[in-house]
Amino acid sequence: MSEPLVLGFETSCDETGVGVVRGQTLLADALATSMAEHERFGGVVPEIASRAHLEAMVPTVHRALAEAGVRASDVDAVAVTAGPGLTGALLVGLAAAKAYALALDKPLYGVNHLAAHVAVDELQHGRLAEPSLALLVSGGHSSLLLVPDLAREVTSLGRTIDDAAGEAFDKVARVLGMPFPGGPPIDRAARDGDASAIDFPRGLTGPRDAPYDFSFSGLKTAVARWVEARRRAGEPVPVADVAASFQEAVADVLTAKAVRACRDSGVDHLVLGGGVAANSRLRALAEERCAAAGIVLRVPSPRLCTDNGAMVAALGSRLVAAGVAPSAPDLGADSSLPIDVVTR
């Protein structure tokens, strides 16, 4: 099957995503989000996310099939995120995907959420060079991955040891009185600020630190203490400068470690993915440093960087084309699914 038509389901967090992909061609990417319901809590509430997935699932599937101009019976395979993610949310997507696979008598592929973030780039830039290195940055993950074979072998080189980058953006945004999620408002505010105004710390960048691991908890705390000190002294907080300086610290660490990992691994292709990859400064600094190091940088469009069903369908299509065996009917959710398990 050279150009499989794959229906993909993504429900690992608060987005209900359903995508339709034929080979490496994106036909539909339907999305429903419960973000507004979580905003007042300052973070994603798992129970609310799960209920929202239940309510949005069937209409989102119908929209995706209509947008793609296909019928459910045309599908060759069904793919679904099996982990990592919120267990309750994952179970909703798994139940829906299993139902469609069983009703249509099609193979089911339970896939890794992080590997899917890498696979989505193929929908925009074509076949991924192998090996490649991937920097995935989101609210729940900050990971450096070596990708010798996207369908069969993905290896973790480094990960966050505390807060993920996206989580740090959310917490700093809260300190600055910005809405949730914090990434977009910090990005906007930073455009009017001076990135060199405040020298915030760069975690795990010392000579004895793990070269590819990340830590953003100390940075988040440093920002909070700096802002608190200004307020105690009765001085105004330069929000734009704080946002720009914080954003610069995050982008600096992420890109420096990614370039170093590429050099050390002898890899000259880097994929940037995950929701934080939509950040304008991260994209610009990654492009600048990769160009200087002779590394080919691939970054999906901002819409494809965030969680979506297209990325799951893209990885499912890769698995079908590679002849990988489908998942068992009793496939379950794994909230901490390791990255070296591409499909379950």
Side-chain angles (χ1 to χ4, degrees), residues 69-161:
V70 300
R71 298 170 298 178
S73 58
D74 296 328
V75 169
D76 296 309
V78 178
V80 58
T81 298
L86 303 175
T87 300
L90 290 168
L91 287 171
V92 177
L94 277 164
K98 286 182 179 181
Y100 275 95
L102 181 63
L104 299 171
D105 192 25
K106 302 297 181 182
L108 174 70
Y109 290 85
V111 307
N112 191 298
H113 177 81
L114 300 183
H117 269 302
V118 180
V120 75
D121 183 74
E122 295 194 327
L123 300 180
Q124 190 167 350
H125 300 122
R127 184 81 174 191
L128 187 69
E130 295 175 335
S132 281
L133 196 133
L135 172 62
L136 301 184
V137 197
S138 67
H141 307 281
S142 296
S143 304
L144 274 171
L145 311 174
L146 181 63
V147 188
D149 181 347
L150 183 55
R152 292 184 172 88
E153 184 182 0
V154 178
T155 304
S156 175
L157 296 180
R159 56 187 291 275
T160 182
I161 63 170

Side-chain angles (χ1 to χ4, degrees), residues 21 23 26 45 48-49 58 104 114 119 121 133 185 199 242 279 307 313:
V21 167
L26 176 60
V45 181
I48 293 176
V58 173
L104 299 171
L114 300 183
D121 183 74
L133 196 133
D199 186 20
V242 173
N279 178 270
D307 292 348

Side-chain angles (χ1 to χ4, degrees), residues 296-342:
V296 177
L297 177 66
R298 294 169 51 134
V299 189
S301 66
R303 177 179 173 82
L304 292 179
C305 285
T306 54
D307 292 348
N308 58 79
M311 70 186 202
V312 178
L315 182 53
S317 178
R318 253 304 204 116
L319 295 171
V320 174
V324 175
S327 303
D330 62 351
L331 170 69
D334 186 343
S335 62
S336 56
L337 184 66
I339 185 55
D340 59 353
V341 181
V342 177

